[in-house]
Amino acid sequence: MSGGVPGRSSRARRILRGPRPEAAPALVGRAAALVGVLDIAAGVFPRFRHSRMHAIAEVLPGSFGPFAAALSLSSGVLLLLLAHGLKRRKRRAWRAAVVLLPAGAVAQVAYRHSILGVLIAVALLVPLLLHRSEFSALPDPRSRWRALANFVLMSAGSLLLGLVIVSVHPHRTIGDPSLADRLTHVIYGLFGFEGPVDYQGNTSWTVAFSLGALGWITAATTIYLAFRPEHPAARLTEEDESRLRALLEKHGRRDSLGHFALRRDKAVVFSPSGKAAVTYRVVSGVMLASGDPIGDVEAWPGAIERFMDEAKAHSWTPAVMGCSETGGEVWTRETGLDALELGDEAVVDVADFSLAGRAMRNVRQMVKRIERAGYETRVRRIRDLGDTELERIRRAAEDWRGTDTERGFSMALGRIGDPVDGDCLIATAHKSDEQPGEYGDLKAILHFVPWGRDGVSLDLMRRDRSADPGMNELLIVAALQSAPKFEISRVSLNFAMFRSALARGEKIGAGPVLRAWRGLLVFLSRWFQIESLYKFNAKFQPRWEPRFVVYRHSADLPRIGFAAMQAEGFVDLAVPLPRFLRRRRAAAAERTCAHAVADREVHAA
């Protein structure tokens, strides 16, 4: 690559390689999960001691009396909950396991007088203590929705496991209770009350203690998640944003995704010199960066090192979405990570764009047809819009969005009309109707963010559902034709995922594997617009710039892909706010930002 990235010593390269998974935490996590499963089995199934697992069951915490069965079940569920945290080297999971294992050992002596039970607890406790320095990962960003999610999932799991507990004593059950009776008995038991099902002997106490234990664990874990000390997700501060804007002013021309680093739901790490930065968001334990590092390419390694250090401190999985070929080379060279081509970005050179020619026939005919229908276009800078029109555009963009959540992360700014984004370009389509709607004659919106001083990148596309088809084509052509007036020479359009596979797979001579891969992509396009975005971009005869995903291990790709889908808004695990509350919150955020900008201007004056 060009750019003269300075060399690094072998020691520095090892440091930059970041959070390699350690064998000890992974083995301890798997051992905890195995013991947890065996504990649950020992607490649930009455004949577990007489099965082939008898030798292992003898050393599980707790006896098989009523109280011991509940204790075994509780310890098993808790160990299962801790296993993932232990694998990720989480400090809090380590502390909980260190407390839980001695408690299980005490239970062995108190209830079963089993020396082997103590030994197996010690066998798991010893590596935890010996490798305690490896369990140093800090907490993840979190929200109170985790408590609600835990309550729902644990309640569902407790109901299913409770039905098993109630049903595994057929020879001791009095009568023939129906499924409804058993489910009622489980629900009552989770709250500590007697249900309609009865058993002979001590079995009633065993079932009651076990159900009560499940209810206690569900309540305790939910209360803990609801009231534990908050470790909020990082946000872009005003100072960070100012520093990033200064870097973009000098080096913003390098990457078309640079301006999207100014999303305020991202965090940032700077190089020691302050000349480069990497912005990111943490989603489901994945530390997602997007695009190339911001700033001087000479300082990129320092920012990347800080990024990898942060990932290691929290035991996050590092990943980069949509970096350029140059960025991918620097990331892989400085960290030892791998890169995979993700797709292509469509870039149109304004000087070469023309509606003439056979290749542009469809676009030309569509644009002419829409213009004859009475539509007109306007292309302006955001700073040239009046407050009333800007507010109308904001409301239209919100209401015309096709999903409950805003989509976009790597190629979306997440806002329109911020006072500090005056250089953004907006193209609007208008049509005078006899009865103007809520937004007057406004019919469609395209918003572009700056790409250096002579380029723009497409941010979002919105249109009135009642408008004629072809609004997006009309506005893109209008923006390209108006670009010279704004001294814009390059326009970046949408990102086409897996474009090369789609393009090669439809050509004569494509092999069966490539054709099968293309067929799968076409099938997935029913939900993710993979093929439609490629074909839409191809209409404008762009040049294609490859974009890459950078990852640590191939096994991480499914997790990274799921996290990226969450970040982009295709998967939403949170409960969305009603639309009127989202609009009210967005308006409050805009007013706060406007006041902050006004205060800075007053102080500067």
Side-chain angles (χ1 to χ4, degrees), residues 348-351 353 379 381 425 448 453-456 475-491:
V348 179
D349 293 312
V350 174
F353 177 77
V379 182
R381 296 284 188 185
L425 199 69
F448 299 84
R453 297 182 180 180
D454 63 344
V456 290
L475 289 180
I476 287 178
V477 169
L480 289 169
Q481 291 176 339
S482 301
K485 181 175 63 175
F486 299 99
E487 298 182 349
I488 292 172
S489 61
R490 303 167 301 160
V491 177

Side-chain angles (χ1 to χ4, degrees), residues 117-443:
V118 175
L119 292 178
I120 195 146
V122 171
L124 187 55
L125 181 62
V126 167
L128 279 174
L129 296 176
L130 289 178
H131 299 279
R132 60 183 178 276
S133 61
E134 296 181 14
F135 296 89
S136 58
L138 300 175
D140 290 345
R142 64 177 69 97
S143 69
R144 299 306 182 192
W145 291 113
R146 296 283 182 89
L148 178 60
N150 178 83
F151 176 75
V152 172
L153 295 176
M154 286 292 295
S155 297
S158 297
L159 284 174
L160 293 176
L161 191 56
L163 282 175
V164 174
I165 293 172
V166 171
S167 304
V168 293
H169 307 277
H171 301 296
R172 291 181 174 271
T173 304
I174 298 177
D176 186 20
S178 64
L179 178 62
D181 290 336
R182 297 182 184 189
L183 183 60
T184 303
H185 191 86
V186 171
I187 295 174
Y188 276 43
L190 292 177
F191 288 94
F193 299 105
E194 287 283 342
V197 181
D198 200 6
Y199 301 90
Q200 299 174 357
N202 291 331
T203 303
S204 293
W205 288 103
T206 301
V207 172
F209 274 55
S210 298
L211 294 177
L214 287 176
W216 174 82
I217 292 174
T218 301
T221 54
T222 301
I223 292 171
Y224 167 74
L225 291 173
F227 294 100
R228 64 180 173 174
E230 187 73 4
H231 186 74
R235 290 290 186 268
L236 206 62
T237 66
E238 185 177 318
E239 179 184 357
D240 291 337
E241 185 173 340
S242 298
R243 295 177 66 184
L244 285 173
R245 288 185 183 277
L247 293 177
L248 288 170
E249 182 67 23
K250 294 180 180 179
H251 308 282
R253 195 179 191 278
R254 179 178 291 277
D255 185 15
S256 62
L257 306 188
H259 198 86
F260 299 120
L262 299 175
R263 284 182 65 104
R264 291 179 183 137
D265 58 357
K266 290 183 178 181
V268 61
V269 289
F270 289 91
S271 65
S273 65
K275 295 181 179 180
V278 176
T279 59
Y280 66 91
R281 187 200 296 178
V282 178
V283 183
S284 298
V286 178
M287 190 176 182
L288 278 175
S290 59
D292 292 344
I294 306 300
D296 188 354
V297 68
E298 298 282 346
W300 283 7
I304 290 173
E305 180 178 357
R306 290 284 179 86
F307 176 88
M308 298 300 287
D309 287 343
E310 189 76 6
K312 185 175 183 180
H314 292 268
S315 190
W316 293 329
T317 300
V320 185
M321 300 296 297
C323 65
S324 68
E325 188 170 1
T326 299
E329 288 179 359
V330 177
W331 274 99
T332 55
R333 182 165 63 183
E334 295 296 326
T335 65
L337 301 178
D338 291 324
L340 179 67
E341 186 172 341
L342 188 61
D344 294 270
E345 175 189 9
V347 178
V348 179
D349 293 312
V350 174
D352 298 332
F353 177 77
S354 173
L355 285 177
R358 183 179 180 84
M360 298 297 295
R361 178 182 178 184
N362 290 337
V363 176
R364 182 173 63 250
Q365 290 179 342
M366 179 175 290
V367 170
K368 294 297 184 183
R369 176 179 57 80
I370 296 174
E371 289 177 342
R372 286 195 299 269
Y375 289 88
E376 64 175 25
T377 59
R378 302 169 193 167
V379 182
R380 294 159 290 176
R381 296 284 188 185
I382 285 290
R383 60 173 171 263
D384 298 327
L385 296 176
D387 293 340
T388 302
E389 183 178 10
L390 187 56
E391 178 60 27
R392 184 166 64 246
I393 289 173
R394 285 199 195 102
R395 290 190 290 108
E398 170 73 15
D399 290 345
W400 292 345
R401 188 175 63 206
T403 58
D404 289 334
T405 57
E406 187 74 58
R407 288 186 175 178
F409 166 68
S410 56
M411 294 188 72
L413 187 60
R415 60 182 185 265
I416 297 180
D418 195 293
V420 294
D421 295 326
D423 287 338
C424 290
L425 199 69
I426 189 161
T428 54
H430 304 263
K431 183 181 181 182
S432 298
D433 294 326
E434 295 180 359
Q435 296 180 347
E438 180 181 358
Y439 311 110
D441 62 354
L442 184 65
K443 297 300 180 183

Side-chain angles (χ1 to χ4, degrees), residues 382 413 415-416 424-425 445-449 457-460:
I382 285 290
L413 187 60
R415 60 182 185 265
I416 297 180
C424 290
L425 199 69
I445 304 164
L446 256 62
H447 187 253
F448 299 84
V449 300
S457 295
L458 181 59
D459 175 24
L460 62 79

Side-chain angles (χ1 to χ4, degrees), residues 546-559:
R547 291 281 174 173
F548 299 83
V549 55
V550 177
Y551 59 97
R552 185 173 53 190
H553 299 295
S554 298
D556 294 334
L557 286 175
R559 185 180 181 187

Side-chain angles (χ1 to χ4, degrees), residues 435-578:
Q435 296 180 347
E438 180 181 358
Y439 311 110
D441 62 354
L442 184 65
K443 297 300 180 183
I445 304 164
L446 256 62
H447 187 253
F448 299 84
V449 300
W451 173 12
R453 297 182 180 180
D454 63 344
V456 290
S457 295
L458 181 59
D459 175 24
L460 62 79
M461 300 184 291
R462 297 280 192 272
R463 71 177 183 88
D464 188 343
R465 298 298 176 184
S466 63
D468 294 340
M471 290 292 103
N472 293 329
E473 289 88 341
L474 173 69
L475 289 180
I476 287 178
V477 169
L480 289 169
Q481 291 176 339
S482 301
K485 181 175 63 175
F486 299 99
E487 298 182 349
I488 292 172
S489 61
R490 303 167 301 160
V491 177
S492 170
L493 300 179
N494 288 307
F495 171 73
M497 185 175 290
F498 306 120
R499 182 205 67 87
S500 58
L502 289 170
R504 294 197 303 266
E506 63 183 357
K507 291 182 178 179
I508 297 176
V513 175
L514 187 56
R515 288 185 179 274
W517 174 227
R518 181 183 181 277
L520 177 61
L521 294 176
V522 171
F523 174 75
L524 294 175
S525 295
R526 299 179 181 180
W527 297 277
F528 300 111
Q529 297 182 332
I530 298 174
E531 185 184 29
S532 59
L533 276 177
Y534 158 58
K535 290 186 174 181
F536 177 83
N537 292 333
K539 292 179 181 180
F540 303 96
Q541 302 299 305
R543 56 182 169 89
W544 299 100
E545 297 289 341
R547 291 281 174 173
F548 299 83
V549 55
V550 177
Y551 59 97
R552 185 173 53 190
H553 299 295
S554 298
D556 294 334
L557 286 175
R559 185 180 181 187
I560 292 171
F562 184 72
M565 291 175 65
Q566 287 180 262
E568 297 286 352
F570 290 103
V571 177
D572 186 13
L573 301 182
V575 179
L577 291 173

